[in-house]
Amino acid sequence: MTKLKNFSAAALFALAVFMMTIPATRTEAQGSGVVIAPGFEMNIFADPASVPLFGGAYTGPGAMTFDSRGRLFVATLGGKILILLDNDDNGAVDEVKTFATGIPLPLGLEFHANGDLYVTSNIVGGAGRVLRLRDTNGDDAADETDVIIDNLPSDGQHQTNKLKFGKDGLLYIGQGSSSNHGVPEGGYPGDRPLNSKILRVDTDNPAVEVFASGLRNPFGLGIHPENGAIFATDAGSGDVGENPVEDTSPVEEVNWIVQGGNYGFPLCEGTPDVSNPDCAGVRRGLIEFLPHTTPTAIQFYTGPQSEDFLNQMLVTLFVRYRGQGGDLRRFTLAGDVTNGFEVIESAQLVDFGYREEDDGPVDIAIDPVTGDIYVSRVDLTPAHTPANRRNYVYRIHRAGSDSRPFIGTPSPSSIEAGSTQTITVTGRHFKPGATIFADGAPMVTRQGAGPFELQADLFAPQSYQPSRVVGAIQIEVRNADGLRSNIKTISVTSAEEDTSPRLTSLAVIKKKNGRVVASIEAGSKGKKYRLVVNGERFSEGAQLFFNGAAMQVVESSATRIVGAFTNSMLASAGEFLVEARNSDGKVSNALRLTIAP
């Protein structure tokens, strides 16, 4: 039996077998038993050798997400949240930071647009929770942890699972059932009103709302990037070998989730039977899998590596059963939220090779800058030692894409017509001599705060002066060898139309008396000073960022924000960028602050 039901038994998901045919044209990755589709490459980004914590039976990687800076956050089953960094840009982790510890069974990670990290946590035999984590001093460690939702019913056979912010700004949560078949059994409680549901929460006013019902264990959630449609996996009841003569376990599914939708558990699981009165009104799954393989994650591809791959649904299946499953598959959908959806194409992207019963892929994350696909694989097999434990994070990408530069959204993403602005472009695979281009014209480019940042001044006399009317500027980076990045745009607006925050000036003051200091020196004590930023269009909850690190805001209004320094912010001399970000995610222009030697 491999029904991952509780932490001690390593049973968080459920088993099934994928019913679609695996394509015959595949290539094996370095003799590892891992097989990838033509046109793609894959490597191990993190393993127990590079992340020693992964060597434990219950400390492997589970939920993953990227922050706005393109850094990978990984939750371990043992209760830590790590930041895995690739500082030398070679596709493998070379630095591990611990963002948070002591979070029981974190199964879901998701960033809000304002930079807060939301986590689902499960106290074994107790309550499920939604936590909000904040790093207020920019040291890459959470120093505020707030319980947003408590007492969710995760004390049964399934838990409070993954979570996603919808395009409506609300938080969606998958809540599993307490039981296997819908009735109390094996010492577990029966289902209660919030079990077997998709829940919805406004994080500013966190009252729990039932959005959809009848899902036994909706472990994975996905949000369509264009139309905002919500999709969830569901693992059906029944264990392998429970019905040895004739397996009557229901199919497992990916469902399109609609408000008020009923998906059948426990009276009408799997494909609805029209002759069963309990199936009246039950919605059929969008994608069906044979029993006993668990679909664990859904992610839509939003990266820049190829247009033909854009918006395809990626799904992982945890278990390999009867030669199928335990893989990463992609699905092309047709339709919309008005007319419904259908699958028009499917294919296997990666087969992760032979594995034990409790060893398989559990989550997917897309690098917002490069579009690389990351998959976490957790190995809970008790007999395995750290040396052969497959607690991995894989990196998957288009063949040859590592030689091409990629860029994320420039900062600021919107500027006023006719203004002079410093823009910062964050990316990967920059080579010496990399140059920012605006509408095809080269800009005078300089290195930013680190190896992944480039800067240029738009509208400066010595560089490029595009049209000063409302519109958009196309930004790209070209390496010295001529290879070109993807294109991002900066919108050009009139002052009346622009709703982004705008910085006009900044100053450093002494906390004690409020006097402005002419200069601040490296090594100064952060608690003695405050950063005052003046501007316009600051929203309630706007944040300040010092060289990408969030500052603690001690005072704010629509035209002024005061932030607190940390010692690490003032540790080194140099020029540092200051930006503001509103609660809707819109980022201001950047101003420079000089710290003297």
Side-chain angles (χ1 to χ4, degrees):
M1 166 185 153
T2 317
K3 183 71 79 170
L4 304 182
K5 296 193 190 298
N6 55 60
F7 186 53
S8 61
L12 305 176
F13 322 119
L15 307 179
V17 136
F18 198 42
M19 64 188 296
M20 297 192 176
T21 304
I22 297 174
T25 54
R26 301 174 298 169
T27 56
E28 187 169 338
Q30 302 172 350
S32 63
V34 176
V35 179
I36 58 178
F40 289 86
E41 297 174 342
M42 188 177 79
N43 66 278
I44 295 175
F45 178 78
D47 61 9
S50 56
V51 185
L53 183 64
F54 287 178
Y58 301 109
T59 59
M64 302 187 298
T65 191
F66 279 90
D67 69 0
S68 61
R69 297 162 60 186
R71 304 184 305 167
L72 181 63
F73 283 64
V74 177
T76 73
L77 296 185
K80 291 187 176 182
I81 298 177
L82 308 177
I83 309 175
L84 303 186
L85 301 174
D86 175 16
N87 294 307
D88 58 8
D89 202 18
N90 70 347
V93 63
D94 52 35
E95 184 181 3
V96 180
K97 295 184 176 182
T98 300
F99 183 76
T101 61
I103 299 176
L105 202 58
L107 296 183
L109 289 180
E110 177 84 345
F111 275 102
H112 190 279
N114 67 5
D116 292 342
L117 180 62
Y118 284 78
V119 186
T120 55
S121 175
N122 296 270
I123 300 171
V124 176
R129 291 175 166 178
V130 176
L131 308 178
R132 182 183 64 207
L133 278 59
R134 286 176 171 168
D135 172 16
T136 61
N137 60 9
D139 63 352
D140 289 335
D143 37 46
E144 284 187 9
T145 300
D146 297 313
V147 179
I148 302 302
I149 301 293
D150 203 357
N151 296 317
L152 294 174
S154 69
D155 54 342
Q157 294 198 5
H158 305 102
Q159 285 72 45
T160 304
N161 298 317
K162 293 176 182 172
L163 70 174
K164 295 283 185 181
F165 279 100
K167 291 183 75 68
D168 55 8
L170 302 177
L171 186 64
Y172 293 81
I173 307 158
Q175 174 62 55
S177 64
S178 288
S179 62
N180 187 359
H181 295 282
V183 295
E185 56 186 320
Y188 294 108
D191 280 8
R192 287 146 288 179
L194 296 183
N195 281 115
S196 312
K197 303 294 194 299
I198 301 296
L199 308 177
R200 184 167 71 173
V201 174
D202 179 351
T203 57
D204 293 327
N205 183 26
V208 177
E209 172 190 4
V210 172
F211 187 77
S213 61
L215 297 125
R216 176 177 172 274
N217 193 25
F219 193 79
L221 289 175
I223 308 293
H224 195 287
E226 289 188 349
N227 54 48
I230 303 164
F231 298 85
T233 66
D234 193 18
S237 62
D239 294 335
V240 175
E242 186 174 72
N243 302 295
V245 177
E246 180 183 2
D247 191 349
T248 58
S249 300
V251 297
E252 302 187 347
E253 303 165 333
V254 168
N255 293 279
W256 171 35
I257 304 298
V258 300
Q259 187 167 12
N262 175 16
Y263 296 85
F265 179 81
L267 299 177
C268 179
E269 280 195 89
T271 306
D273 180 355
V274 295
S275 65
N276 180 358
D278 290 323
C279 291
V282 171
R283 300 181 65 88
R284 179 169 181 165
L286 174 68
I287 305 169
E288 294 184 347
F289 309 99
L290 293 179
H292 310 310
T293 297
T294 301
T296 49
I298 299 174
Q299 186 66 263
F300 284 89
Y301 187 78
T302 54
Q305 291 187 14
S306 57
E307 291 186 1
D308 65 321
F309 208 57
L310 196 63
N311 297 333
Q312 289 197 8
M313 176 191 284
L314 304 178
V315 179
T316 50
L317 295 113
F318 182 71
V319 173
R320 188 179 186 86
Y321 179 70
R322 295 180 181 174
Q324 298 184 46
D327 58 355
L328 171 66
R329 299 191 69 88
R330 63 183 181 90
F331 300 88
T332 303
L333 304 184
D336 52 43
V337 294
T338 301
N339 301 302
F341 295 90
E342 63 176 333
V343 176
I344 59 174
E345 180 188 8
S346 67
Q348 186 186 66
L349 195 56
V350 181
D351 177 355
F352 292 102
Y354 175 77
R355 58 203 60 79
E356 308 293 338
E357 287 183 325
D358 291 336
D359 170 15
V362 293
D363 207 4
I364 309 166
I366 309 296
D367 186 325
V369 176
T370 66
D372 292 348
I373 303 164
Y374 289 74
V375 174
S376 58
R377 173 179 179 174
V378 65
D379 179 357
L380 301 161
T381 310
H384 285 179
T385 64
N388 65 5
R389 187 168 296 284
R390 293 180 288 263
N391 284 333
Y392 295 158
V393 175
Y394 296 103
R395 184 181 72 102
I396 304 154
H397 57 98
R398 288 282 191 180
S401 63
D402 276 353
S403 63
R404 173 189 171 191
F406 288 98
I407 62 173
T409 301
S411 178
S413 59
S414 177
I415 60 177
E416 292 182 11
S419 64
T420 299
Q421 298 286 350
T422 295
I423 63 166
T424 300
V425 177
T426 301
R428 296 290 187 273
H429 313 326
F430 294 158
K431 305 298 182 184
T435 302
I436 297 173
F437 280 69
D439 283 345
M443 308 292 293
V444 176
T445 303
R446 57 184 177 270
Q447 189 66 48
F452 303 132
E453 287 188 3
L454 299 175
Q455 293 180 339
D457 295 325
L458 280 180
F459 307 153
Q462 72 273 24
S463 57
Y464 169 60
Q465 295 195 36
S467 171
R468 296 183 175 224
V469 299
V470 171
I473 304 170
Q474 290 192 331
I475 301 295
E476 66 174 331
V477 168
R478 300 181 192 177
N479 283 341
D481 59 9
L483 289 178
R484 301 166 67 165
S485 75
N486 55 310
I487 293 176
K488 293 287 188 177
T489 60
I490 295 177
S491 61
V492 181
T493 66
S494 69
E496 292 76 19
E497 294 176 342
D498 191 5
T499 60
S500 299
R502 179 171 176 265
L503 309 187
T504 56
S505 65
L506 56 80
V508 176
I509 64 173
K510 286 187 176 182
K511 177 184 176 182
K512 184 176 181 179
N513 55 25
R515 293 178 180 174
V516 175
V517 299
S519 65
I520 188 168
E521 296 181 352
S524 298
K525 299 293 184 182
K527 65 181 181 181
K528 294 183 177 180
Y529 298 93
R530 293 286 187 261
L531 177 64
V532 179
V533 174
N534 298 305
E536 57 186 350
R537 298 189 292 270
F538 299 143
S539 70
E540 184 178 353
Q543 290 184 297
L544 276 183
F545 288 84
F546 181 84
N547 235 41
M551 303 185 75
Q552 180 183 0
V553 174
V554 297
E555 177 188 330
S556 66
S557 69
T559 58
R560 171 184 163 101
I561 305 177
V562 180
F565 287 105
T566 62
N567 289 346
S568 61
M569 291 176 180
L570 303 180
S572 303
E575 287 192 342
F576 300 90
L577 294 181
V578 175
E579 295 173 304
R581 183 166 66 197
N582 279 346
S583 54
D584 62 3
K586 291 185 177 180
V587 181
S588 73
N589 57 306
L591 297 180
R592 296 180 194 171
L593 176 67
T594 300
I595 298 179

